[in-house]
Amino acid sequence: MASIAESVSVSLFFLLHLLSITATVAQTTYPSDVSALKAIKVAIDPTTIPDYSCLATWDFTYDPYTTPSSHFLCGCACVYDYRINMLYFDAIGYVGTLSPLVSELTGLESIDLSNNKFSGPIPTSLFSLPNLISLNLRNNSFSGTIPPIIPILGTLQILDLSSNLLSGPLPQTLSSRILIHLDLSFNNFRGPIPKLPRNVRELALKSNYLSGILPETSFSELVQLEAVDLSDNLLTGTIPGWFFLQPFLQRVNLSNNRFTGMEILKPNNSNFLDTIDAGYNKINGYLSTNFTVYHMLSSLSLRYNKLKGSIPKEFSRKTTLRTFFLDGNYLKGKPSKDFFSWKSSIVSGSFGDNFLKRCPKSSKLCSKSQKSSSICRNAYDGKVKV
């Protein structure tokens, strides 16, 4: 019986030892993930990795998943499945390129390398990651074009490539099915606005060289757009009326372009538009009273355009209006006294640099002086009395 007991004891010992080894193996980071992390770190100039930074704690004599607290303190995270699920660098100013082996981190759901000094092209392999939800590379020096594979990514919800040196045309379509936040601002993109993601809520293409008109085909399928910033581009033509009627649109910035006209249609009852900035364009015509029918509109800027005519009295009766900039146009006549009574205490903005009469200098809305009589006569081809 003793020999049987000893045999069972020995077998149990080896079984427990085997389970221990298996558990240890199962709880280590995938070797391909570790290799990818090594390649990512090697591609960064070591002189830009200070001792207090995240990357300084990456010690590959330890495993990223089972590491003690003094190693792999930050910069990457294994949340589940023993895969690297997040890659996030501190804003230290790391200098280097992004290794194409980042595509080996197939468990990645989030990448944030923002506010550093990465350069070179964005690896196309990055966009083959099957589970990527959020990609933030803003404020670096990445160059080249957007990889054409971006439009077909099925998982991406947040894409921020703003403040880089990217160039070329945008892909003909950016129709990722569930992309909700897209920011490509402060780059060197050129050409027309492409077809946009159907479910995008926040769209920012500010400070590029985008040109052409606002094409209805690019926006026609958008069902959730809330905020759009197309300012500081080279867009032309008339701002179409349908643009402001998108059902959930709240904030619009079209300033600093080359628009020459603006169509304002009356909205339906479900419109949520709160802010419109179309300043610093070349918009002709008259100030439409249809703006006042947008029942939630609180901020309107049409400064430094070529608007003529008077300021309709309906604007002075719009109780939601809090910011109103009309300076730098060719407006004439006498503004409603209501602007300078109770409303003057709650509305900020400017009516200066026009041809307005009786715009009291004591009002903050009239703080800029009006244009000269000669400029007024020229603007109206001598057909207006000054």
Side-chain angles (χ1 to χ4, degrees):
M1 295 294 294
S3 60
I4 296 175
E6 289 174 0
S7 177
V8 171
S9 178
V10 170
S11 299
L12 183 60
F13 171 79
F14 281 109
L15 178 61
L16 292 173
H17 182 63
L18 180 61
L19 290 173
S20 175
I21 293 175
T22 302
T24 301
V25 171
Q27 292 182 359
T28 58
T29 308
Y30 273 61
S32 59
D33 283 20
V34 175
S35 297
L37 292 179
K38 289 179 179 178
I40 290 169
K41 185 174 182 180
V42 167
I44 297 173
D45 183 348
T47 64
T48 65
I49 304 178
D51 294 338
Y52 54 85
S53 67
C54 284
L55 282 177
T57 70
W58 286 17
D59 184 347
F60 292 100
T61 60
Y62 297 88
D63 181 78
Y65 184 80
T66 59
T67 183
S69 59
S70 58
H71 304 285
F72 292 97
L73 289 176
C74 54
C76 65
C78 299
V79 180
Y80 55 86
D81 292 339
Y82 313 114
R83 306 303 301 259
I84 301 297
N85 309 122
M86 293 187 289
L87 189 67
Y88 57 99
F89 287 177
D90 39 352
I92 292 295
Y94 298 120
V95 175
T97 59
L98 181 57
S99 171
L101 290 181
V102 67
S103 62
E104 296 295 317
L105 300 174
T106 56
L108 275 179
E109 296 181 356
S110 175
I111 300 176
D112 187 347
L113 309 183
S114 60
N115 300 304
N116 281 288
K117 297 180 181 179
F118 286 94
S119 59
I122 299 173
T124 302
S125 60
L126 178 67
F127 299 99
S128 66
L129 293 170
N131 301 301
L132 193 62
I133 296 173
S134 176
L135 174 60
N136 184 354
L137 303 180
R138 72 184 307 271
N139 198 20
N140 279 282
S141 297
F142 287 108
S143 57
T145 60
I146 291 184
I149 197 172
I150 281 183
I152 63 174
L153 286 174
T155 59
L156 198 63
Q157 296 182 31
I158 299 171
L159 177 61
D160 190 341
L161 305 180
S162 63
S163 299
N164 279 283
L165 302 173
L166 300 169
S167 59
L170 296 176
Q172 290 186 356
T173 176
L174 289 166
S175 56
S176 177
R177 293 189 302 274
I178 59 175
L179 192 66
I180 60 174
H181 176 93
L182 175 62
D183 193 343
L184 304 178
S185 301
F186 298 102
N187 280 287
N188 298 309
F189 294 118
R190 298 177 181 272
I193 298 173
K195 192 172 182 63
L196 297 165
R198 174 180 172 82
N199 292 302
V200 70
R201 296 179 187 172
E202 297 176 319
L203 172 68
L205 301 174
K206 178 179 182 177
S207 293
N208 283 284
Y209 297 94
L210 300 176
S211 57
I213 63 171
L214 287 178
E216 188 169 5
T217 53
S218 297
F219 293 84
S220 60
E221 295 184 5
L222 273 58
V223 294
Q224 299 188 80
L225 186 63
E226 296 177 0
V228 55
D229 190 343
L230 301 175
S231 62
D232 298 290
N233 279 287
L234 304 174
L235 299 171
T236 57
T238 296
I239 302 171
W242 58 259
F243 188 84
F244 300 106
L245 297 181
Q246 298 177 79
F248 296 101
L249 193 60
Q250 299 175 29
R251 301 180 301 280
V252 174
N253 191 345
L254 301 173
S255 63
N256 287 286
N257 278 283
R258 298 178 179 180
F259 293 113
T260 55
M262 190 176 198
E263 181 184 21
I264 304 299
L265 303 177
K266 290 185 177 181
N268 56 39
N269 292 330
S270 62
N271 191 276
F272 297 100
L273 195 59
D274 173 83
T275 303
I276 299 176
D277 187 349
Y280 297 94
N281 280 284
K282 300 177 180 181
I283 298 172
N284 290 285
Y286 298 88
L287 188 56
S288 173
T289 57
N290 285 347
F291 279 117
T292 64
V293 188
Y294 287 79
H295 63 281
M296 296 185 69
L297 187 65
S298 67
S299 179
L300 176 61
S301 175
L302 298 172
R303 63 195 320 191
Y304 290 92
N305 279 286
K306 297 183 177 182
L307 296 173
K308 294 182 179 180
S310 61
I311 303 175
K313 192 170 185 178
E314 286 87 343
F315 285 94
S316 68
R317 298 168 179 167
K318 185 165 178 56
T319 58
T320 61
L321 199 60
R322 294 292 181 271
T323 306
F324 195 22
F325 283 95
L326 296 176
D327 48 318
N329 283 283
Y330 301 102
L331 299 170
K332 62 183 181 65
K334 302 174 184 178
S336 170
K337 293 181 180 179
D338 291 339
F339 281 117
F340 313 115
S341 55
W342 66 272
K343 202 168 184 62
S344 64
S345 63
I346 60 173
V347 176
S348 62
S350 177
F351 294 167
D353 198 16
N354 282 287
F355 306 130
L356 299 173
K357 292 182 178 180
R358 297 181 186 177
C359 196
K361 294 181 180 180
S362 59
S363 170
K364 58 185 179 181
L365 291 173
C366 303
S367 58
K368 292 181 183 178
S369 60
Q370 301 296 312
K371 288 183 172 74
S372 67
S373 299
S374 60
I375 295 176
C376 180
R377 278 190 290 266
N378 289 335
Y380 286 87
D381 298 323
K383 297 178 182 180
V384 62
K385 294 182 179 180
V386 181

